[in-house]
Amino acid sequence: MLLFADRAAAVLPGFRLEPGNRDGVALLCRRLDGIPLALELAAGRLRALSVEQLTARLEDRFRLLTGGDRTAPARHHTLRTAIGWSHELCTMKERLLWARLSVFAGGFDLDSAEYVCAGHGLDADEVLELVESLVDKSVLERLDGDGTARFRMLDTLREYGAHWLRAGGDRPRLLRRHRDWYLGVASWGEVEWFGPRQAETAERTRLAHANLRAALEFSLAEPGEEQPALVLAGTLWYFWVGTGHLGEGRHWLDRALALAPEPTDARAKALWVTGYLATLQGDLHRARPVLEECRRQALETGDDRALAYAVHRQGCAALIGDEPARAAELFEEALWHYDALGELNSNVLMAMFELALAHLFQGDEENGLAWMERVRETCEEHGEQWAYGYCLYAMAFARRQGGDLRLARSLARESMRLNHLFRDLLGIVLAMDLLALLATEGPDADLSEARVLQGAAHRLWRAVGTPFFGSRSFNGPHLEGERRARDGLTEQEYEAAFRLGSRLDLDTAVGRALGDGGPGSGRETPPRSEDRGGVPLAGQRE
């Protein structure tokens, strides 16, 4: 930023970094990868364009960034020429790999580079040595981190490589190989999601996120690739649901379904996944028709697996639609289908957890606890942690209803810890709201802290969807805790605590709810009315 500001001041006397332009300059510098030559050339364009206009025009940065200091060597007059100078120093095979690696978005590892880039003049066993050479020439950057070595190419260099890939006519083939590799990543992730490697699977998929987006975009834009788009978007259900990407999953699935209306197995899966995501966002207007379409198609085509998942997700829609008895019937039907198919995975465990909740919402603690125990045993047997986090939430809910507040708090905190491991916003916010209610009960009740947690949960719900799915059953504990806090705090304390919670970022809010901070430990607490000398705080209630 300082280099850009210095060069910009030479072009526009008086230019300096200030609050009004700092964010725009920072974005421009990031888009140009901090390359000094690129920043100098961009600063030269300030004679005719604003910082914002420059950033907007960076889609073709090589055409935009021409000119510069006319006294500089000719090869420095344009960014393309400057990078071309480095390109000429590469061997033919290094240039070929540079071009082919341009299909990756974000980071990649050696295995993916070998699969995607090998062939047609480049042997797989040559890729390692060529990658090392490109790292030495600063075309590739090795990314620090634990485990598998990863690499990335600066966007500016990637666009230069993409230019040569297009010129050679090989880009469609490379994009298809790239998509096929990441379809494999998603498929293997779906398999490993049920088991002891669940957290590693979540992290591996997170690292592949940018490339998965690129693979989906290619499949949706390329004629004839609609079915792979459906497969990829549907297979990633575990990532959309389990790691806090409900809205993004809906985006890709809706686009894929619109392009491929024929009743295929891939469409059936995409339908139930869409219905699942919409349900978790509280959007029953979307969830119910797509789940019914999935069920109807499954019956017409004899797709027993799709039928099981459609019925299961219809049970979810009934549960948040405040029909617990109907939900229980659907969950039992789905579990019968799963058993007949020999299906056992995280979805099946979630059906058991949801059936337990349906019983609890009807006041049937005995059956609710029995189903939770089945989930717990199966999770422990297979090393499953994600569904176990939800099971712990249900157990905490039940223990709180039974009056064991100490155990309920412990279970709710462990539920939150596991969900935070996966960055599952829905699981986190459910546990946080339950902990807020528990903070209003017992001899250690702290109404102010309960209201802080409600404020933090409110912020999280906005990232998930409709708070409590729009469900009376799920919203009941929140309303009870809210009423107790309102009755026990002054209006100023009530509002100040909520505002404090709503300002907490995810990690800070989770740490607070887990008890990483506490009275006397240095964590911030909302001011009490006597500390403020009775001066009211501005703002309104939630």
Side-chain angles (χ1 to χ4, degrees):
M1 286 177 64
L2 294 177
L3 173 62
F4 178 83
D6 179 67
R7 298 300 185 267
V11 174
L12 293 177
F15 182 92
R16 64 180 183 275
L17 289 175
E18 52 192 20
N21 64 19
R22 186 176 295 274
D23 289 345
V25 171
L27 176 59
L28 178 63
C29 292
R30 286 197 301 272
R31 292 288 305 278
L32 292 173
D33 300 315
I35 298 173
L37 174 60
L39 297 176
E40 291 188 34
L41 293 172
R45 282 301 186 190
L46 288 178
R47 296 183 181 93
L49 299 171
S50 68
V51 171
E52 291 75 16
Q53 288 173 311
L54 271 172
T55 305
R57 289 169 176 257
L58 280 181
E59 292 304 319
D60 189 351
R61 65 191 71 192
F62 297 113
R63 181 176 299 174
L64 172 67
L65 301 183
T66 58
D69 184 356
R70 299 186 183 279
T71 65
R75 66 179 182 270
H76 284 180
H77 282 171
T78 68
L79 184 60
R80 186 190 299 277
T81 305
I83 295 176
W85 187 258
S86 297
H87 192 253
E88 291 176 9
L89 297 177
C90 294
T91 67
M92 289 298 296
K93 288 197 172 182
E94 288 169 353
R95 296 178 198 175
L96 182 60
L97 183 59
W98 180 346
R100 292 182 179 181
L101 289 173
S102 70
V103 300
F104 287 97
F108 59 89
D109 59 20
L110 183 62
D111 289 341
S112 57
E114 289 174 337
Y115 177 87
V116 174
C117 300
H120 292 242
L122 197 63
D123 293 338
D125 57 9
E126 295 179 287
V127 173
L128 171 57
E129 184 177 343
L130 292 171
V131 164
E132 291 176 343
S133 296
L134 292 176
V135 170
D136 289 340
K137 290 179 169 66
S138 299
V139 175
L140 291 178
E141 175 188 3
R142 175 170 172 161
L143 301 174
D144 294 329
D146 298 331
T148 304
R150 292 174 56 77
F151 309 90
R152 78 177 181 104
M153 190 183 297
L154 296 179
D155 285 347
T156 306
L157 301 180
R158 186 165 68 90
E159 289 184 20
Y160 189 88
H163 164 77
W164 286 104
L165 189 62
R166 284 191 294 269
D170 207 19
R171 185 170 169 80
R173 182 183 71 86
L174 267 294
L175 288 172
R176 189 169 284 104
R177 287 185 67 80
H178 174 273
R179 189 275 317 284
D180 291 346
W181 175 265
Y182 285 98
L183 180 55
V185 169
S187 299
W188 186 242
E190 183 181 33
V191 171
E192 286 207 318
W193 186 251
F194 180 62
R197 296 173 60 86
Q198 212 168 25
E200 296 172 40
T201 298
E203 177 63 10
R204 184 173 64 247
T205 312
R206 184 192 68 78
L207 290 172
H209 194 177
N211 281 297
L212 290 165
R213 286 170 170 165
L216 283 162
E217 194 61 62
F218 164 76
S219 300
L220 291 168
E222 187 75 8
E225 301 294 336
E226 298 85 4
Q227 290 302 311
L230 282 172
V231 173
L232 181 53
T235 299
L236 284 169
W237 68 266
Y238 70 93
F239 184 65
W240 309 137
V241 176
T243 64
H245 297 283
L246 299 176
E248 181 179 351
R250 287 276 303 275
H251 166 78
W252 295 115
L253 285 158
D254 286 346
R255 288 179 61 187
L257 287 168
L259 289 174
E262 58 272 24
T264 62
D265 290 351
R267 180 175 175 84
K269 184 170 185 177
L271 285 169
W272 73 253
V273 175
T274 299
Y276 186 20
L277 300 183
T279 298
L280 296 181
Q281 290 185 309
D283 185 4
L284 295 185
H285 291 295
R286 172 64 173 164
R288 284 175 170 145
V290 295
L291 291 172
E292 179 56 28
E293 180 184 346
C294 181
R295 189 191 69 84
R296 188 169 57 251
Q297 177 185 311
L299 289 171
E300 292 172 353
T301 61
D303 188 342
D304 293 337
R305 181 164 278 100
L307 178 61
Y309 281 92
V311 171
H312 175 185
R313 301 311 172 192
Q314 286 181 317
C316 294
L319 185 65
I320 74 162
D322 298 313
E323 301 176 88
R326 174 60 177 156
E329 293 175 2
L330 290 167
F331 291 138
E332 288 170 354
E333 181 183 346
L335 287 167
W336 181 89
H337 285 296
Y338 286 143
D339 186 60
L341 290 165
E343 193 93 337
L344 180 60
N345 55 33
S346 298
N347 282 301
V348 177
L349 290 174
M350 289 298 283
M352 296 179 185
F353 150 74
E354 290 149 355
L355 178 55
L357 277 185
H359 285 303
L360 291 177
F361 287 166
Q362 296 177 84
D364 185 353
E365 183 177 332
E366 181 180 355
N367 275 317
L369 289 173
W371 278 107
M372 280 183 264
E373 184 61 22
R374 287 188 59 179
V375 176
R376 185 192 64 77
E377 290 175 354
T378 308
C379 286
E380 291 180 354
E381 178 183 354
H382 293 274
E384 214 281 357
Q385 298 182 77
W386 175 66
Y388 189 40
Y390 281 89
C391 176
L392 290 169
Y393 164 77
M395 293 172 70
F397 186 93
R399 295 306 181 190
R400 183 256 163 188
Q401 284 187 326
D404 192 340
L405 302 182
R406 185 187 182 100
L407 180 56
R409 288 191 186 97
S410 176
L411 291 167
R413 286 177 178 138
E414 183 62 10
S415 171
M416 176 175 289
R417 187 191 67 78
L418 285 176
N419 282 295
H420 188 238
L421 175 68
F422 296 105
R423 314 297 283 189
D424 183 341
L425 299 183
L426 178 58
I428 291 170
V429 75
L430 286 173
M432 187 171 293
D433 255 307
L434 183 55
L435 285 168
L437 172 61
L438 288 164
T440 69
E441 300 177 312
D444 299 325
D446 186 340
L447 299 181
S448 180
E449 185 61 18
R451 190 59 179 156
V452 170
L453 294 181
Q454 286 193 332
H458 179 74
R459 178 176 179 175
L460 285 174
W461 274 117
R462 287 184 294 174
V464 172
T466 303
F468 306 98
F469 323 107
S471 164
R472 293 190 304 275
S473 299
F474 282 93
N475 196 29
H478 169 81
L479 293 177
E480 185 177 349
E482 184 180 59
R483 183 173 57 254
R484 290 176 180 172
R486 186 186 295 272
D487 290 343
L489 297 172
T490 68
E491 183 173 348
Q492 292 83 5
E493 291 166 349
Y494 181 86
E495 293 172 352
F498 184 85
R499 280 199 302 275
L500 171 58
S502 67
R503 293 196 301 266
L504 301 179
D505 61 36
L506 175 64
D507 292 341
T508 303
V510 168
R512 185 158 184 148
L514 291 176
D516 293 349
S521 67
R523 77 177 177 187
E524 183 184 358
T525 57
R528 299 185 64 82
S529 57
E530 57 268 27
D531 298 329
R532 299 190 308 271
V535 179
L537 292 175
Q540 297 179 340
R541 288 196 173 99
E542 177 186 358

